[in-house]
Structure formats: structure tokens, C-alpha cells
Amino acid sequence: MDMKVGTTLKIKGKIADCADGCFSQGWPLILTCYSFPCSFVINLGQGTDKLNLHFNPRFDESTIVCNTWDDNCWGQEQRDSHMSFTPGSEVKLLVTFENNEFKVKMPDGHQLTFPNRLGHNHLRYLSVQGGFSISSFKLD
């Protein structure tokens, strides 16, 4: 990926259904229960060791956590309680990379800002983890 200052990343995808549940298997009946951690993560940065933006909606806490990861150390969390995501829904996110900050536009139009603490002007790493499946992404 090649994301420069002034660029917007458009991501479309589907958020997983989040539920606790059980399923049966075999005979005699074996009941297996699970708990799906209901969150997902979008990381932007230089690589796995330098994340300029760690964007993490957490449904079980009804909050969005943003942070940086640099040299095996998390920065101070920034939390936003405006949760405009719904498990099982399809969404579009816009992440604009500016010199001093990131602007993340949520599906309902709410905008979250997070400082570019590491000061990079070029990002080459994108990862998505957890309960989110990307259907498309584009840099503008």
C-alpha cells in the first residue's frame, strides 16, 4: 500500500455477527460453547511494529478505541463513545490521512479525529483483523 498525506482510504466491508452460542456435535452428544469477541481492528502504519492508527470498535464496551503502537509500546488510548456500527451490517469507512491527524468518517457521517503521533507522511501498511470482512478498498 502507498498512502500519502492528503489521501483518503475508502473501505467497504461486512461486520461479523457477534453472539455467544453453542453447537452440538456427534453422538454421544457433545456440546461446545463459544464466545466471539465482538470487535474488529483496522491498522495503518509503517509495519507491524509501527502503527500510526490502530482503530478498534469494541461492541462489548460500546466504544471505539484509537491508539498508536511504536517499538513494542502502546500510546495513550483515545476513546469515542459514538458507536455507529452494528454487528452483521455492511459499512463504508473513510480514513483521511492528514499531516497532523487522521479523520475517520463513520457510516452515519460522524467523524472521529486522531493525531498523527508518529509524524510519518507516508504509510505503507494496512491490516484488518477480527470480525470484519473487506469487500473493497480504494485510495483517493
Side-chain angles (χ1 to χ4, degrees):
M1 185 182 79
D2 184 20
M3 188 172 184
K4 296 178 179 148
V5 168
T7 304
T8 297
L9 172 65
K10 297 177 181 180
I11 301 177
K12 291 182 185 179
K14 183 170 183 183
I15 300 170
D17 290 317
C18 302
D20 292 338
C22 298
F23 65 93
S24 60
Q25 177 180 351
W27 187 259
L29 188 63
I30 298 171
L31 189 62
T32 304
C33 295
Y34 62 92
S35 179
F36 182 80
C38 202
S39 71
F40 66 91
V41 174
I42 298 173
N43 290 316
L44 288 169
Q46 302 301 309
T48 57
D49 61 335
K50 288 200 182 295
L51 301 177
N52 293 64
L53 174 64
H54 170 82
F55 178 82
N56 180 209
R58 298 178 184 174
F59 295 99
D60 58 340
E61 297 177 32
S62 295
T63 193
I64 298 168
V65 175
C66 292
N67 209 339
T68 52
W69 176 258
D70 189 21
D71 294 328
N72 294 319
C73 186
W74 286 111
Q76 184 171 345
E77 287 185 347
Q78 176 180 305
R79 291 176 168 255
D80 188 319
S81 61
H82 186 95
M83 179 61 82
S84 62
F85 300 104
T86 306
S89 65
E90 294 193 23
V91 297
K92 179 171 98 173
L93 288 171
L94 302 175
V95 182
T96 302
F97 177 34
E98 296 185 348
N99 222 10
N100 298 321
E101 65 187 2
F102 294 89
K103 293 181 179 176
V104 182
K105 189 171 182 182
M106 310 293 183
D108 68 351
H110 175 75
Q111 185 170 278
L112 175 150
T113 60
F114 183 73
N116 180 9
R117 294 176 182 162
L118 303 183
H120 297 120
N121 59 11
H122 181 257
L123 305 176
R124 55 187 171 95
Y125 177 79
L126 166 67
S127 74
V128 177
Q129 302 166 350
F132 187 79
S133 299
I134 294 178
S135 57
S136 68
F137 72 95
K138 178 182 178 184
L139 291 172
D140 277 339

